[in-house]
Amino acid sequence: MADYSAAREVLLGLRNRLVHRLRELGANESGDLRRDLDFGEGFADAAAITAERTEVLGIVDSLKVHLDQVDASMARIEAGTYGTCAGCSNRIAPERMEARPVSRLCINCKSARS
């Protein structure tokens, strides 16, 4: 089994930043907003409140997707499959894994799916 301690540290740091950002937005790790979240009394009408909530939900959804990718990558490290392409089972180039540590596909498989 390869030593992915550096990748694990990068992923843990990324995970911590994502969780922190979710909490700043009033969401938990599942992407659910707190029920008591207040969008402020400064809004003139319900449409503005709805627009702000929609924007926050979009950001939370994006953060949650990235958090799920990080968690899946950490699970692959534990399973011994990190760095192996889910498409062709070849090793993913180390440069790709360094640039995008949540990669599941090698460049060739990713290009073929795009």
Side-chain angles (χ1 to χ4, degrees):
M1 180 179 207
D3 179 17
Y4 289 112
S5 57
R8 184 180 289 110
E9 289 302 315
V10 168
L11 290 166
L12 282 172
L14 181 54
R15 186 180 201 291
N16 289 337
R17 288 189 301 277
L18 290 166
V19 168
H20 178 75
R21 185 66 179 126
L22 283 167
R23 288 184 181 145
E24 283 181 334
L25 291 169
N28 60 24
E29 290 183 33
S30 298
D32 299 323
L33 291 180
R34 290 190 337 254
R35 295 204 189 289
D36 66 337
L37 192 60
D38 182 14
F39 287 92
E41 295 181 30
F43 289 108
D45 59 8
I49 292 171
T50 300
E52 178 71 14
R53 183 175 171 80
T54 300
E55 182 178 345
V56 168
L57 286 171
I59 295 168
V60 166
D61 285 345
S62 177
L63 291 169
K64 177 63 175 123
V65 165
H66 201 176
L67 182 60
D68 289 345
Q69 291 172 340
V70 169
D71 287 344
S73 294
M74 291 175 63
R76 286 193 300 278
I77 288 174
E78 295 306 314
T81 59
Y82 183 78
T84 301
C85 180
C88 67
S89 299
N90 289 327
R91 298 298 302 163
I92 300 172
E95 299 83 12
R96 176 163 171 76
M97 295 307 298
E98 186 176 326
R100 189 169 189 278
V102 296
S103 295
R104 293 180 45 249
L105 300 171
C106 68
I107 292 291
N108 290 337
C109 288
K110 180 64 177 173
S111 296
R113 292 185 183 197
S114 296

